[in-house]
Amino acid sequence: MIYAITIYGEAGVFEALPKDRQDEVMSGHGALQTALKERGEFVSMKLMPPTSAVMVEPATSEGKPPLITDGPFADTKENFLGFYAADFNDLDEALTYAKLISSPIARLEVRPVAWAGGAISSE
Amino acid sequence: MSDWLEATFTQQRPRAIAALTRVFRDIDTAEDAFADACLKALTVWKQDGAPRDPLAWLLATARNAGIDSLRKSQRRAAILSRHNEEFQPMLAETPDPDEMRDDVLRLLFICCHPELDRRDQIALALRIVAGLSVEEIASGFLVKLKAMEQRITRAKKKIASHTVAFETPNPEERGARLGEVSLMIYLMFNEGWSTSAGPSQINLTLCEEAIRLARLLVALFPAMGEQAALLALLLLQHARRDARIDRQGKLVALDDQDRTLWNRTDIAEATAFLQKAQRINHRGAYVIQAAIAAAHARAPSPEDTDWALIESHYAALHALQPTPVVRLNQIAAQARLHGPQFALEAMESLSEDLSNYRWFHAMRGALLQDVGDHRAAIAAFEAVMTLAPTGPECVAIKDKISSSKKELGHL
């Protein structure tokens, strides 16, 4: 089963950490990436800060084009920062790998993937 | 554990101090209350884990702490009686984003007191909004701790006597505040990028804090092209930090920089914000400057740079800001397109306005070297030396003088 390990946290907090703590976080990511690479295909992305995003909102009425806005608006709560996805034997194994990148500044969600296409495929 | 939490406090500080300043109408009280809340967070969060909305928690706690200390303080009895009815203990709730953005903007704007020297405005913003220690600010400005302490105390007194309306500003007022605050952030970066005095050329703390504040404005005003452009511009400059100074501390000109040292992550992010600003169809000075910096960032080498594009950007910038310095930069681009002789002639019209501007003489010296007039080049470089160049600039200019002297010796 493919699991996604998604990372939530507050944008900017990592950058405010002292260098040695940043290195600590990054070494966790390094370890996870090395471990995943050994198992086969995986995908991983770190997103730019939410402020760099542009929103495509649903059209307000039928026949109209979708609305492009420059949100998201000032939201100080947790942001979606990035994710990993790979094929794991079971939830326990996915959790074991997720723990490698656990840190006080991130909340992780381990969620089974219903369908995946592209570099890793569920089919 | 505490340094993990400190990072959250640092991140929340501008919003928290801004909202608390509105509540208490007093920056010192706001700062003390926030410090109290952080102290409490160190114990409570370690025990129970960090809350889902740290800002709401810190604000509620700080507000209650502030009220407590006001009640105990004779000195502030007057403030308390004035606002007594507002001071109900409050529960953690997510602050209203619209109110929050005006709060932060107001706080930054308070730091931009018109009677304060620009550097004092910057120092205040670093102290109050960014939360840097006086020591860090002093070393950022290369002044003694004692002197910086006095300056900040004086500046704080001045802003306390100056009232900025706490009502929600109208759009025009908001726009004016945003412009003023953005300029202060831009100048904060420049102060770090080209420190006015002392041996080091770059002071990264000031640059990094300016970028952090520019990010804050973008987060608060996501639909404003000007602020997206400002962030893009600062990131593009900052991306060159490792290439700009060599191992001996010598300043490296853009042409001679090792472009593999340019920070690609910063450039990518800047490009995203520049595209956003351009999509909003913003056409201010920052977006043009960012477009110029992006043209350099895209070019694998000086020769592969789109100088015609850069020249046209400078022409547009000059139409917006008809200053001699912008014109000089336009001429520098024209030198690439039409040769050094053309540029030297074009520069003549600026010689009076820019007679005290060391980059004018440095550029003139380099162009004179290009046309082989080394005697005049040496005179131009010597003019730079009389205009208080920074340490790294001195070294670079001395190199140029000796290379021209060498050329003369060969003739």
Side-chain angles (χ1 to χ4, degrees):
Chain A
M1 172 109 64
I2 295 175
Y3 284 85
I5 304 169
T6 49
I7 306 163
Y8 293 85
E10 201 189 326
V13 170
F14 173 81
E15 287 72 17
L17 283 173
K19 178 80 173 57
D20 55 333
R21 291 299 195 186
Q22 287 188 355
D23 292 346
E24 207 176 310
V25 174
M26 291 320 291
S27 80
H29 284 274
L32 177 59
Q33 284 161 27
T34 310
L36 289 178
K37 215 170 276 170
E38 279 167 13
R39 312 168 35 97
E41 301 287 351
F42 74 99
V43 289
S44 175
M45 287 181 199
K46 179 191 178 189
L47 303 189
M48 284 192 195
T51 46
S52 60
V54 170
M55 305 290 287
V56 182
E57 305 280 0
T60 44
S61 58
E62 238 177 290
K64 286 255 177 74
L67 196 67
I68 298 184
T69 66
D70 296 286
F73 289 92
D75 187 2
T76 55
K77 278 181 282 183
E78 290 178 335
N79 302 117
F80 176 43
L81 301 178
F83 74 96
Y84 288 84
D87 205 344
F88 294 101
N89 292 323
D90 53 26
L91 175 62
D92 271 355
E93 195 189 26
L95 287 171
T96 307
Y97 280 82
K99 280 177 196 157
L100 291 172
I101 55 165
S102 175
S103 80
I105 57 161
R107 206 179 293 272
L108 305 173
E109 181 190 82
V110 177
R111 202 200 288 195
V113 170
W115 180 87
I120 56 171
S121 167
S122 56
E123 280 158 17
Chain B
M1 186 64 199
S2 63
D3 47 0
W4 298 100
L5 299 184
E6 297 284 351
T8 300
F9 303 156
T10 304
Q11 182 65 10
Q12 300 301 350
R13 181 183 172 98
R15 289 180 173 86
I17 300 285
L20 292 166
T21 299
R22 175 174 43 75
V23 170
F24 295 113
R25 305 285 207 263
D26 180 64
I27 291 175
D28 284 336
T29 311
E31 286 190 293
D32 291 346
F34 181 66
D36 279 352
C38 292
L39 209 60
K40 233 168 240 162
L42 282 177
T43 20
V44 178
W45 294 9
K46 270 181 202 165
Q47 240 164 49
D48 308 346
R52 273 312 249 273
D53 190 342
L55 177 62
W57 192 99
L58 287 168
L59 271 180
T61 310
R63 203 179 140 144
N64 294 337
I67 294 165
D68 270 359
S69 84
L70 281 183
R71 287 202 173 117
K72 284 176 200 152
S73 149
Q74 279 288 343
R75 189 164 68 83
R76 290 177 182 167
I79 308 177
L80 187 61
S81 69
R82 201 161 71 230
H83 300 291
N84 204 15
E85 69 285 359
E86 294 173 32
F87 289 162
Q88 302 307 321
M90 83 182 249
L91 299 169
E93 57 178 62
T94 306
D96 175 55
D98 286 341
E99 196 173 41
M100 182 56 76
R101 84 184 170 161
D102 284 329
D103 285 348
V104 175
L105 184 57
R106 183 186 306 108
L107 183 65
L108 282 161
F109 186 65
I110 290 173
C111 296
C112 296
H113 188 302
E115 280 168 36
L116 286 178
D117 174 70
R118 189 60 85 172
R119 298 179 82 205
D120 286 346
Q121 296 181 354
I122 293 171
L124 261 192
L126 289 169
R127 177 70 208 99
I128 296 171
V129 187
L132 257 59
S133 69
V134 178
E135 205 167 358
E136 287 171 305
I137 301 167
S139 84
F141 279 102
L142 305 161
V143 300
K144 294 232 163 64
L145 176 62
K146 199 96 201 149
M148 186 49 80
E149 260 168 9
Q150 286 168 350
R151 272 168 63 175
I152 289 182
T153 311
R154 257 204 316 272
K156 269 194 164 178
K157 264 194 199 125
K158 195 155 253 174
I159 57 169
S161 65
H162 177 78
T163 43
V164 172
F166 279 91
E167 290 74 45
T168 305
N170 64 36
E172 211 170 297
E173 175 65 33
R174 185 180 292 131
R177 288 182 183 185
L178 199 49
E180 188 58 29
V181 163
S182 299
L183 179 62
M184 186 268 288
I185 294 172
Y186 172 80
L187 294 172
M188 182 188 291
F189 183 90
N190 281 352
E191 182 64 34
W193 190 245
S194 185
T195 44
S196 314
S200 69
Q201 182 68 31
I202 308 185
N203 196 305
L204 285 179
T205 311
L206 293 191
C207 296
E208 281 161 7
E209 290 304 325
I211 287 175
R212 229 158 60 79
L213 290 175
R215 283 187 191 287
L216 178 65
L217 287 189
V218 169
L220 296 169
F221 299 92
M224 295 297 293
E226 188 179 20
Q227 282 61 46
L230 174 62
L231 177 57
L233 172 61
L234 301 190
L235 284 169
L236 283 164
Q237 298 268 18
H238 196 57
R240 298 186 206 140
R241 60 194 173 277
D242 291 337
R244 191 159 169 264
I245 300 287
D246 71 9
R247 274 201 203 121
Q248 286 79 45
K250 210 193 295 175
L251 193 63
V252 184
L254 186 60
D255 273 11
D256 304 323
Q257 288 178 13
D258 175 357
R259 295 181 181 220
T260 61
L261 295 177
W262 289 359
N263 187 308
R264 291 292 142 189
T265 310
D266 288 344
I267 291 173
E269 201 188 338
T271 307
F273 282 107
L274 177 58
Q275 285 175 7
K276 232 184 135 169
Q278 286 168 333
R279 204 196 68 77
I280 297 168
N281 209 10
H282 172 71
R283 291 163 195 231
Y286 299 133
V287 83
I288 299 174
Q289 288 173 269
I292 293 166
H296 287 301
R298 266 198 305 277
S301 71
E303 296 72 38
D304 293 320
T305 305
D306 189 344
W307 290 107
L309 176 71
I310 290 176
E311 199 276 335
S312 72
H313 282 318
Y314 273 118
L317 188 60
H318 192 256
L320 219 61
Q321 296 179 339
T323 69
V325 172
V326 173
R327 176 82 183 111
L328 183 68
N329 281 303
Q330 188 189 355
I331 295 170
Q334 287 170 343
R336 306 301 184 125
L337 297 166
H338 313 304
Q341 193 56 48
F342 177 94
L344 281 166
E345 282 161 27
M347 279 174 85
E348 269 171 38
S349 64
L350 300 175
S351 59
E352 206 167 305
D353 284 335
L354 296 179
S355 63
N356 290 322
Y357 185 63
R358 56 182 188 267
W359 289 109
F360 173 84
H361 299 285
M363 178 173 145
R364 200 163 157 271
L367 291 168
L368 286 164
Q369 281 185 324
D370 287 346
V371 298
D373 187 349
H374 290 282
R375 223 172 281 280
I378 292 169
F381 289 132
E382 277 166 354
V384 178
M385 297 301 284
T386 65
L387 295 168
T390 62
E393 283 169 17
C394 275
V395 179
I397 293 296
K398 278 182 189 153
D399 273 4
K400 290 190 181 196
I401 292 176
S402 59
S403 86
S404 265
K405 282 192 174 153
K406 220 171 176 179
E407 289 290 334
L408 284 175
H410 284 302
L411 293 175

